[in-house]
Amino acid sequence: MDKMLEYGPDLGLPFTRAMGKGLFEIRAKGHAGIARGLFCTISRNTIVILHVFIKKTDVTPKKELGLGIKRMKEVKKHDI
């Protein structure tokens, strides 16, 4: 978390990846497989996890990305 405060949400690979329009993907690997979390920021020090899923292909599925974008718009609209 300290690195995100220092450098912002786009730490770069292998930690995070910018997905565009303020949406980011955080990357995690474990024994059960590869997990991804989609998140955005609503201020310099507030990160909102929007959606987490198990990634089964090399490309982030459009369904998962679409849900992350939808939730990001809702969060930013209401400025939680």
Side-chain angles (χ1 to χ4, degrees), residues 25 34-38 51-55 60-61 64-65:
E25 176 182 77
I34 299 171
R36 297 291 187 256
L38 297 175
H51 180 52
V52 178
F53 59 97
I54 301 298
K55 191 167 179 183
T60 301
E64 309 295 353
L65 192 55

Side-chain angles (χ1 to χ4, degrees), residues 20-71:
K21 300 180 182 177
L23 185 69
F24 296 90
E25 176 182 77
I26 192 161
R27 307 158 62 89
K29 274 188 181 177
H31 294 292
I34 299 171
R36 297 291 187 256
L38 297 175
F39 70 94
C40 68
T41 60
I42 55 173
S43 69
R44 172 132 171 83
N45 61 357
T46 303
I47 295 170
V48 179
I49 305 296
L50 304 163
H51 180 52
V52 178
F53 59 97
I54 301 298
K55 191 167 179 183
K56 297 179 182 177
T57 63
D58 290 340
V59 179
T60 301
K62 288 183 181 184
K63 175 184 170 189
E64 309 295 353
L65 192 55
L67 184 55
I69 291 168
K70 177 184 173 197
R71 289 180 178 172

